[in-house]
Amino acid sequence: MSLHLYNTLTRQSEPFTPTRPDQVTMYVCGPTVYNYVHIGNARGPVVFGVLAALLRRRFGALRYARNITDVDDKINAAAQQAGTPIRAITDRFAAAYREDMAALGVDGAFAPDIEPAATDHIDDIIAMCQRLIADGHAYAAEGHVLFSVASFPGYGKLSRRDPDDMLAGARVEVAPYKRDAGDFVLWKPSSDDLPGWDSPWGRGRPGWHIECSAMAAAHLGETIDIHAGGVDLQFPHHENEIAQSECAHGGKTFARFWLHNGMLNFAGAKMSKSLGNIERVHDLVRAHPPEALRYALLSAHYRQPLEWSDALIEQSIRTLDRLYGTLRDLADVEARAQIPASIEAALDDDLNTPAALAEIARLASLARKAEGDARRDAKAELLGAGLALGLLQQAPEVWFARGADHSDDARIQALVDARVAAKKARDFARADEIRNQLASEGIVLEDTPQGVRWQRR
Ligand SMILES: [Zn+2]
């Protein structure tokens, strides 16, 4: 079977062939950088990173762009609250995002080639607004530029909503300068205390949707092969991207394939910042082996919801223990990673990562039984299967060293607590004894206003 992907646009699984096999293009909507991202926001980058690596293998050339939204009202609010310049917020959280994604193994073949920032494309955005106005798809009013939804008969073709539903979904506030309630903002005026750029419509800033249309065109061309993002972006964001891009480019198809990943559920509820049940990647990668988080994110099919829980993380750690255990048993064998056809077949089936993970388990069990020369082939396939998914690429000792440390944390914390208690009870001999024991294990203690912290030297 060749690569098949479920296309939201047609609601069908379709064979994927790029427009230009020597230059496959993919765009994934990236973060708005005003805070640390929660684990739900990592699912897209992880899953579509696996797709990126597959496209690189299959076609040899991929241009993959994932944007950074660095102008947004949420950023302005965060800067105001922190009392810092906007740039300090966006720089800090864009860097944190890259770090967090790299920790989850979204690097190398899994990472985007281009990470365009919206503020580097203001000229492109203004030019696109001008083109849309010239062609009657947009209009200026009171310092705003609005897209005229009525001018694009194809509006709604991705989300397949009727106009009334769309209005309800967008929670549109009907401003007096709008011709139609469903018209959306391409450009809006900025007061002096907000970021703004000179434009034909006065000092202002772009709306969110047009950023992606302008950046996709600037880096990947007017028609792209694959556009991906979370299912929560399908409407209105992706619908609006289509309207802007296709109207600005004479009706040319904007994206041939639309892929959408499902949301994470946390204790049964959709995980979002507004619900407050945030599990930040930044914290999770410090509390757990990041490879286990990656495994957990790949454990369900990307279009399905994923139930996120501590039990899922623990299960992922145990599974990786078993797989790395197999590799450790094969340490005496030299083998080069070779991606098995069965793994490619699973991924060709609309990125069926749960099937690929099941196949890895099967390959590991074969490897455990293998003897003689078959051990080398078994190891090569197991390493190759991991390579396709961004798993199993550490030395087993490195994995187990961290695993041991991880399970050892509770014991160390108990010793630290015991030392605090001993000091409180003025049993300084006991406190020193514990400190010496911890020091001999390479544990450094630090007194902070929040209490005693420890870390490994
Ligand atoms: Zn976007």
Side-chain angles (χ1 to χ4, degrees), residues 27 29 67 212 227 237-238 241:
Y27 186 93
C29 292
N67 70 292
C212 283
H227 192 310
H237 183 56
H238 289 163
E241 282 188 39

Side-chain angles (χ1 to χ4, degrees), residues 40 42-44 46-48 50-51 260-265 291-309 312-313 315-316 319 346-347 349-358 389 391:
R43 193 181 192 188
V46 165
V47 163
F48 299 127
V50 170
L51 174 60
H260 289 101
N261 66 274
M263 301 286 100
L264 257 57
N265 289 319
E291 189 173 345
L293 302 172
R294 182 178 176 89
Y295 187 101
L297 285 170
L298 293 170
S299 65
H301 188 266
Y302 77 94
R303 286 195 287 120
Q304 302 302 318
L306 171 60
E307 297 295 331
W308 190 261
S309 64
L312 174 67
I313 299 171
Q315 175 68 46
S316 301
T319 305
L347 297 178
D349 180 15
D350 192 28
L351 292 180
N352 195 338
T353 56
L357 294 178
L389 294 162
L391 300 169

Side-chain angles (χ1 to χ4, degrees), residues 32-311:
T32 300
V33 283
Y34 68 101
N35 203 340
Y36 293 109
V37 295
H38 66 80
I39 187 73
N41 293 124
R43 193 181 192 188
V46 165
V47 163
F48 299 127
V50 170
L51 174 60
L54 184 158
L55 294 168
R56 292 184 209 283
R57 287 199 297 281
R58 202 63 56 83
F59 299 101
L62 172 72
R63 267 175 84 75
Y64 168 19
R66 188 185 66 204
N67 70 292
I68 298 274
T69 292
D70 59 351
V71 50
D72 186 274
D73 290 351
K74 289 193 284 286
I75 298 171
N76 302 338
Q80 209 157 31
Q81 203 178 6
T84 54
I86 281 158
R87 199 60 201 243
I89 295 281
T90 55
D91 284 351
R92 176 179 167 205
F93 289 112
Y97 182 76
R98 287 190 193 100
E99 244 174 61
D100 291 346
M101 291 307 118
L104 290 174
V106 185
D107 52 10
F110 301 98
D113 305 283
I114 317 154
E115 285 185 89
T119 55
D120 290 333
H121 292 83
I122 299 296
D123 290 347
D124 296 321
I125 292 167
I126 290 174
M128 191 173 257
C129 288
Q130 286 176 306
R131 210 148 53 231
L132 289 168
I133 292 174
D135 291 346
H137 291 295
Y139 55 95
E142 297 180 27
H144 294 73
V145 177
L146 293 133
F147 185 90
S148 168
V149 167
S151 78
F152 180 51
Y155 195 76
K157 66 181 173 183
L158 178 70
S159 55
R160 300 194 181 179
R161 299 183 184 211
D162 72 41
D164 293 343
D165 284 353
M166 287 196 275
L167 276 183
R171 287 190 211 95
V172 182
E173 176 192 327
V174 184
Y177 46 79
K178 282 190 182 180
R179 285 185 195 159
D180 275 314
D183 293 352
F184 57 89
V185 168
L186 304 178
W187 188 265
K188 56 190 166 188
S190 287
S191 54
D192 289 342
D193 57 332
L194 290 177
W197 292 263
D198 289 332
S199 82
W201 317 286
R203 187 173 176 277
R205 61 194 192 281
W208 171 38
H209 314 303
I210 191 119
E211 295 173 7
C212 283
S213 283
M215 286 188 272
H219 293 282
L220 306 179
E222 294 184 347
T223 295
I224 59 180
D225 289 313
I226 298 171
H227 192 310
V231 70
D232 54 336
L233 298 184
Q234 210 178 93
F235 182 85
H237 183 56
H238 289 163
E239 199 71 72
N240 292 354
E241 282 188 39
I242 292 175
Q244 296 157 164
S245 294
E246 300 199 347
C247 290
H249 301 140
K252 262 190 221 164
T253 298
F254 172 41
R256 298 169 54 239
F257 280 75
W258 282 89
L259 271 56
H260 289 101
N261 66 274
M263 301 286 100
L264 257 57
N265 289 319
F266 187 74
K270 181 183 163 228
M271 202 159 155
S272 76
K273 287 173 193 169
S274 56
L275 284 174
N277 53 359
I278 305 170
E279 291 248 23
R280 306 188 311 180
V281 175
H282 203 71
D283 300 325
L284 285 168
V285 295
R286 283 159 179 77
H288 307 282
E291 189 173 345
L293 302 172
R294 182 178 176 89
Y295 187 101
L297 285 170
L298 293 170
S299 65
H301 188 266
Y302 77 94
R303 286 195 287 120
Q304 302 302 318
L306 171 60
E307 297 295 331
W308 190 261
S309 64
D310 287 342

